[in-house]
Amino acid sequence: MSRNVGNIKILSCGYCTQLERVASKQGRWKWLHFQARCFLVPLQEGYLLFDSGYSADVGRIMQSWPALLYKTLIPVTIPFSQTAVAQLSELGISKDDIKYIFISHFHADHIGGLRDFPKARFICSQEGYQALKKLSKFRQVCKGFVSKFLPDDFEQRVVFVSTSNAQKLNNLTVYPLADLPNLYAVELPGHAKGQLGLWLKNENILLAADAAWRQTNLKLGAEPSSIALLFSEDKICYLQTLSALANWPEVQILFTHEEE
Protein backbone atom coordinates (compact mmCIF):
# COMPACT_ATOMS: atom_id res chain seq x y z
CA MET A 1 0.00 0.00 0.00
CA SER A 2 1.43 3.40 -0.99
CA ARG A 3 0.41 7.04 -1.14
CA ASN A 4 2.07 10.32 -2.01
CA VAL A 5 2.98 13.37 0.06
CA GLY A 6 4.42 15.90 -2.37
CA ASN A 7 7.12 14.09 -4.34
CA ILE A 8 7.54 11.46 -1.62
CA LYS A 9 5.87 8.08 -1.85
CA ILE A 10 5.00 6.38 1.43
CA LEU A 11 5.22 2.58 1.51
CA SER A 12 3.75 0.53 4.36
CA CYS A 13 5.96 -2.54 4.68
CA GLY A 14 4.50 -4.83 7.33
CA TYR A 15 3.20 -4.12 10.80
CA CYS A 16 3.26 -5.16 14.43
CA THR A 17 0.35 -4.94 16.89
CA GLN A 18 0.38 -2.76 20.01
CA LEU A 19 -2.01 -0.96 22.33
CA GLU A 20 -2.84 2.59 21.31
CA ARG A 21 -2.46 3.60 24.96
CA VAL A 22 1.25 2.73 24.76
CA ALA A 23 1.70 5.17 21.91
CA SER A 24 -0.08 8.01 23.70
CA LYS A 25 -1.18 8.79 27.24
CA GLN A 26 -4.48 9.87 25.71
CA GLY A 27 -4.83 6.71 23.60
CA ARG A 28 -7.48 4.03 23.95
CA TRP A 29 -6.95 0.55 25.39
CA LYS A 30 -7.35 -0.82 21.90
CA TRP A 31 -5.04 -3.00 19.80
CA LEU A 32 -3.84 -1.29 16.63
CA HIS A 33 -1.61 -2.14 13.71
CA PHE A 34 1.54 -0.04 13.79
CA GLN A 35 2.82 0.11 10.23
CA ALA A 36 6.52 -0.09 9.41
CA ARG A 37 6.59 2.66 6.80
CA CYS A 38 9.44 3.68 4.55
CA PHE A 39 9.63 6.70 2.27
CA LEU A 40 10.72 6.86 -1.37
CA VAL A 41 12.48 10.10 -2.29
CA PRO A 42 13.30 10.83 -5.96
CA LEU A 43 16.82 12.03 -6.74
CA GLN A 44 18.27 13.54 -9.90
CA GLU A 45 19.30 10.00 -10.75
CA GLY A 46 17.49 7.12 -9.10
CA TYR A 47 15.94 7.17 -5.65
CA LEU A 48 16.69 7.34 -1.94
CA LEU A 49 14.73 5.07 0.38
CA PHE A 50 14.27 6.27 3.96
CA ASP A 51 14.39 3.04 5.99
CA SER A 52 13.32 -0.27 4.50
CA GLY A 53 10.50 -1.74 6.56
CA TYR A 54 10.47 -5.53 6.94
CA SER A 55 11.31 -8.14 4.32
CA ALA A 56 9.50 -11.39 3.58
CA ASP A 57 12.45 -13.23 5.18
CA VAL A 58 11.81 -11.75 8.60
CA GLY A 59 10.39 -15.00 9.99
CA ARG A 60 13.29 -17.13 8.77
CA ILE A 61 15.95 -14.68 9.94
CA MET A 62 14.44 -14.45 13.41
CA GLN A 63 13.78 -18.14 13.99
CA SER A 64 16.93 -18.70 16.07
CA TRP A 65 17.98 -17.32 19.44
CA PRO A 66 18.35 -14.51 20.41
CA ALA A 67 16.48 -12.93 17.46
CA LEU A 68 13.61 -15.30 18.29
CA LEU A 69 13.05 -13.21 21.43
CA TYR A 70 12.23 -10.15 19.29
CA LYS A 71 9.91 -12.19 17.07
CA THR A 72 8.08 -13.56 20.13
CA LEU A 73 7.64 -10.23 21.91
CA ILE A 74 6.85 -8.22 18.77
CA PRO A 75 5.04 -10.47 16.26
CA VAL A 76 5.38 -9.16 12.73
CA THR A 77 3.02 -9.50 9.77
CA ILE A 78 4.58 -8.97 6.33
CA PRO A 79 3.30 -10.70 3.18
CA PHE A 80 5.69 -10.46 0.25
CA SER A 81 3.35 -8.11 -1.61
CA GLN A 82 3.86 -5.53 1.16
CA THR A 83 7.65 -5.57 1.11
CA ALA A 84 9.34 -2.45 -0.22
CA VAL A 85 10.98 -4.32 -3.09
CA ALA A 86 7.64 -5.80 -4.21
CA GLN A 87 5.80 -2.48 -4.00
CA LEU A 88 8.55 -0.72 -5.92
CA SER A 89 8.35 -3.35 -8.63
CA GLU A 90 4.61 -2.66 -8.95
CA LEU A 91 5.53 1.00 -9.49
CA GLY A 92 7.99 0.09 -12.23
CA ILE A 93 11.02 0.81 -10.03
CA SER A 94 13.83 -1.74 -9.91
CA LYS A 95 15.65 -2.52 -6.68
CA ASP A 96 18.79 -1.35 -8.49
CA ASP A 97 17.21 2.10 -8.95
CA ILE A 98 17.58 2.60 -5.19
CA LYS A 99 20.91 4.42 -4.95
CA TYR A 100 20.80 5.14 -1.21
CA ILE A 101 18.98 3.85 1.85
CA PHE A 102 18.93 6.34 4.69
CA ILE A 103 18.81 4.36 7.95
CA SER A 104 17.17 6.43 10.67
CA HIS A 105 18.24 3.93 13.36
CA PHE A 106 18.88 0.23 13.65
CA HIS A 107 15.66 -1.18 15.07
CA ALA A 108 14.49 -4.23 13.16
CA ASP A 109 11.41 -2.59 11.64
CA HIS A 110 13.66 0.01 9.99
CA ILE A 111 16.40 -2.27 8.61
CA GLY A 112 14.52 -5.53 7.99
CA GLY A 113 14.52 -5.08 4.20
CA LEU A 114 18.10 -3.93 3.61
CA ARG A 115 19.17 -7.23 2.06
CA ASP A 116 16.62 -6.73 -0.73
CA PHE A 117 18.72 -3.89 -2.19
CA PRO A 118 22.15 -5.27 -3.10
CA LYS A 119 23.49 -2.15 -4.85
CA ALA A 120 22.29 0.62 -2.53
CA ARG A 121 24.64 2.67 -0.38
CA PHE A 122 23.65 3.09 3.25
CA ILE A 123 23.58 6.45 5.04
CA CYS A 124 23.43 6.38 8.83
CA SER A 125 24.87 7.55 12.12
CA GLN A 126 28.31 6.19 12.93
CA GLU A 127 27.59 6.66 16.63
CA GLY A 128 24.42 4.60 16.42
CA TYR A 129 26.04 1.76 14.49
CA GLN A 130 29.21 1.53 16.55
CA ALA A 131 27.29 1.57 19.84
CA LEU A 132 25.32 -1.51 18.78
CA LYS A 133 28.18 -3.32 17.07
CA LYS A 134 30.16 -3.69 20.29
CA LEU A 135 27.27 -5.35 22.18
CA SER A 136 26.63 -9.08 22.52
CA LYS A 137 23.96 -10.55 20.24
CA PHE A 138 21.55 -10.81 23.17
CA ARG A 139 22.05 -7.20 24.23
CA GLN A 140 21.67 -6.10 20.61
CA VAL A 141 18.25 -7.75 20.45
CA CYS A 142 17.32 -6.10 23.76
CA LYS A 143 18.05 -2.81 21.97
CA GLY A 144 15.78 -3.82 19.07
CA PHE A 145 18.69 -4.64 16.71
CA VAL A 146 18.91 -7.93 14.80
CA SER A 147 22.32 -7.96 13.13
CA LYS A 148 21.34 -10.62 10.57
CA PHE A 149 19.24 -8.00 8.80
CA LEU A 150 22.44 -6.23 7.75
CA PRO A 151 23.92 -7.34 4.41
CA ASP A 152 27.26 -9.11 4.68
CA ASP A 153 28.97 -6.21 2.88
CA PHE A 154 27.28 -3.51 4.97
CA GLU A 155 30.53 -1.90 6.09
CA GLN A 156 31.78 -1.68 2.51
CA ARG A 157 28.60 0.11 1.41
CA VAL A 158 27.93 2.39 4.36
CA VAL A 159 28.44 6.17 4.27
CA PHE A 160 28.41 7.63 7.75
CA VAL A 161 26.87 11.07 8.11
CA SER A 162 29.63 13.67 8.39
CA THR A 163 29.25 15.82 11.50
CA SER A 164 31.83 18.40 10.45
CA ASN A 165 29.33 20.93 9.02
CA ALA A 166 26.75 20.95 11.80
CA GLN A 167 24.07 23.62 11.73
CA LYS A 168 21.33 24.54 14.21
CA LEU A 169 17.73 24.62 13.03
CA ASN A 170 14.84 25.08 15.45
CA ASN A 171 16.90 23.72 18.37
CA LEU A 172 17.83 20.62 16.35
CA THR A 173 21.25 19.80 14.91
CA VAL A 174 21.30 19.21 11.14
CA TYR A 175 24.01 18.07 8.74
CA PRO A 176 24.05 18.59 4.96
CA LEU A 177 24.46 15.31 3.08
CA ALA A 178 27.40 15.16 0.69
CA ASP A 179 26.40 14.74 -2.98
CA LEU A 180 22.69 15.06 -2.08
CA PRO A 181 21.80 18.75 -2.36
CA ASN A 182 18.97 20.10 -0.20
CA LEU A 183 18.86 16.93 1.92
CA TYR A 184 19.88 17.17 5.58
CA ALA A 185 20.31 14.60 8.33
CA VAL A 186 18.62 15.77 11.54
CA GLU A 187 19.58 14.55 14.99
CA LEU A 188 16.49 13.23 16.80
CA PRO A 189 17.86 11.94 20.11
CA GLY A 190 15.91 9.97 22.67
CA HIS A 191 14.25 6.98 21.03
CA ALA A 192 17.46 5.23 19.94
CA LYS A 193 21.13 6.15 20.03
CA GLY A 194 22.12 8.02 16.88
CA GLN A 195 18.57 8.30 15.52
CA LEU A 196 18.46 10.60 12.50
CA GLY A 197 15.64 12.14 10.55
CA LEU A 198 15.82 13.46 7.00
CA TRP A 199 14.84 17.04 6.16
CA LEU A 200 13.94 17.74 2.53
CA LYS A 201 14.63 21.45 2.40
CA ASN A 202 12.90 22.24 -0.90
CA GLU A 203 9.67 20.50 0.13
CA ASN A 204 10.10 21.45 3.81
CA ILE A 205 9.22 17.90 4.84
CA LEU A 206 10.86 16.13 7.78
CA LEU A 207 10.94 12.34 7.85
CA ALA A 208 11.14 11.94 11.62
CA ALA A 209 11.27 8.15 12.06
CA ASP A 210 10.36 7.20 15.66
CA ALA A 211 10.79 10.62 17.27
CA ALA A 212 7.07 10.11 17.99
CA TRP A 213 4.46 7.45 17.27
CA ARG A 214 1.72 9.81 16.17
CA GLN A 215 1.21 13.48 15.30
CA THR A 216 -0.87 13.74 18.47
CA ASN A 217 2.27 13.06 20.54
CA LEU A 218 3.34 16.62 19.73
CA LYS A 219 0.47 18.00 21.82
CA LEU A 220 1.04 18.80 25.47
CA GLY A 221 -0.03 15.88 27.65
CA ALA A 222 -0.24 13.44 24.73
CA GLU A 223 3.35 12.19 24.76
CA PRO A 224 3.96 8.41 24.68
CA SER A 225 3.10 6.43 27.80
CA SER A 226 5.57 5.79 30.61
CA ILE A 227 5.93 2.21 29.34
CA ALA A 228 7.05 3.41 25.91
CA LEU A 229 9.42 5.97 27.40
CA LEU A 230 10.89 3.30 29.69
CA PHE A 231 12.22 1.49 26.63
CA SER A 232 13.59 4.61 24.94
CA GLU A 233 17.33 5.28 24.94
CA ASP A 234 16.98 8.55 26.87
CA LYS A 235 13.61 9.73 28.22
CA ILE A 236 14.72 13.33 28.78
CA CYS A 237 16.17 13.66 25.26
CA TYR A 238 13.02 12.04 23.85
CA LEU A 239 10.80 14.68 25.41
CA GLN A 240 13.18 17.48 24.38
CA THR A 241 13.04 16.25 20.79
CA LEU A 242 9.24 16.16 20.94
CA SER A 243 9.25 19.75 22.17
CA ALA A 244 11.57 20.88 19.38
CA LEU A 245 9.35 19.25 16.76
CA ALA A 246 6.19 20.70 18.28
CA ASN A 247 7.73 24.16 17.97
CA TRP A 248 8.58 23.75 14.28
CA PRO A 249 5.05 24.31 12.92
CA GLU A 250 6.02 25.32 9.38
CA VAL A 251 7.55 21.93 8.55
CA GLN A 252 5.46 18.92 7.54
CA ILE A 253 6.48 16.00 9.74
CA LEU A 254 6.01 12.35 8.79
CA PHE A 255 6.55 9.62 11.39
CA THR A 256 7.15 5.95 10.67
CA HIS A 257 4.29 4.40 12.62
CA GLU A 258 1.43 6.81 11.96
CA GLU A 259 -1.93 5.40 10.98
CA GLU A 260 -2.78 5.71 7.29
Side-chain angles (χ1 to χ4, degrees), residues 231-243:
F231 289 98
S232 64
E233 184 71 25
D234 188 314
K235 175 181 176 180
I236 293 175
C237 287
Y238 193 117
L239 295 176
Q240 289 174 340
T241 297
L242 274 183
S243 177

Side-chain angles (χ1 to χ4, degrees), residues 109-258:
D109 51 336
H110 297 259
I111 65 168
L114 296 185
R115 287 182 176 270
D116 289 338
F117 300 94
K119 293 186 178 180
R121 303 293 302 274
F122 304 117
I123 302 172
C124 67
S125 160
Q126 184 172 18
E127 175 193 27
Y129 176 64
Q130 295 296 342
L132 290 168
K133 183 181 176 182
K134 66 184 182 183
L135 300 178
S136 68
K137 297 297 184 185
F138 177 76
R139 290 189 64 198
Q140 286 177 349
V141 170
C142 290
K143 293 285 188 179
F145 173 53
V146 178
S147 61
K148 288 184 179 180
F149 284 134
L150 297 185
D152 297 336
D153 60 350
F154 177 82
E155 294 193 351
Q156 286 70 55
R157 293 160 58 192
V158 69
V159 179
F160 293 120
V161 172
S162 172
T163 58
S164 59
N165 295 312
Q167 304 172 24
K168 279 292 184 182
L169 182 65
N170 202 69
N171 293 321
L172 295 170
T173 303
V174 305
Y175 308 100
L177 296 181
D179 302 322
L180 294 172
N182 299 309
L183 295 183
Y184 293 78
V186 182
E187 286 190 358
L188 298 171
H191 174 71
K193 185 173 287 294
Q195 179 177 241
L196 296 172
L198 182 67
W199 179 44
L200 288 72
K201 181 179 180 180
N202 288 350
E203 293 87 351
N204 202 20
I205 293 174
L206 174 64
L207 307 180
D210 289 1
W213 292 60
R214 295 284 192 268
Q215 294 287 335
T216 53
N217 291 145
L218 300 178
K219 299 178 181 178
L220 186 63
E223 61 270 13
S225 70
S226 298
I227 296 174
L229 292 175
L230 179 66
F231 289 98
S232 64
E233 184 71 25
D234 188 314
K235 175 181 176 180
I236 293 175
C237 287
Y238 193 117
L239 295 176
Q240 289 174 340
T241 297
L242 274 183
S243 177
L245 294 177
N247 287 286
W248 192 0
E250 61 272 18
V251 72
Q252 183 173 3
I253 302 175
L254 300 175
F255 298 112
T256 294
H257 299 299
E258 291 182 76

Side-chain angles (χ1 to χ4, degrees), residues 14-30:
Y15 64 86
C16 65
T17 304
Q18 187 53 268
L19 287 167
E20 184 182 29
R21 188 60 176 266
V22 173
S24 172
K25 287 182 177 179
Q26 297 179 354
R28 299 161 295 177
W29 292 101
K30 178 181 179 181

Side-chain angles (χ1 to χ4, degrees), residues 58-74 108 137-138 141 145-149:
V58 64
R60 178 186 61 80
I61 290 175
M62 294 198 295
Q63 67 184 359
S64 59
W65 185 262
L68 181 61
L69 177 63
Y70 183 103
K71 179 182 178 181
T72 303
L73 295 176
I74 309 177
K137 297 297 184 185
F138 177 76
V141 170
F145 173 53
V146 178
S147 61
K148 288 184 179 180
F149 284 134

Side-chain angles (χ1 to χ4, degrees), residues 4-20:
N4 290 348
V5 175
N7 292 323
I8 298 173
K9 189 168 289 292
I10 304 175
L11 309 176
S12 294
C13 304
Y15 64 86
C16 65
T17 304
Q18 187 53 268
L19 287 167
E20 184 182 29

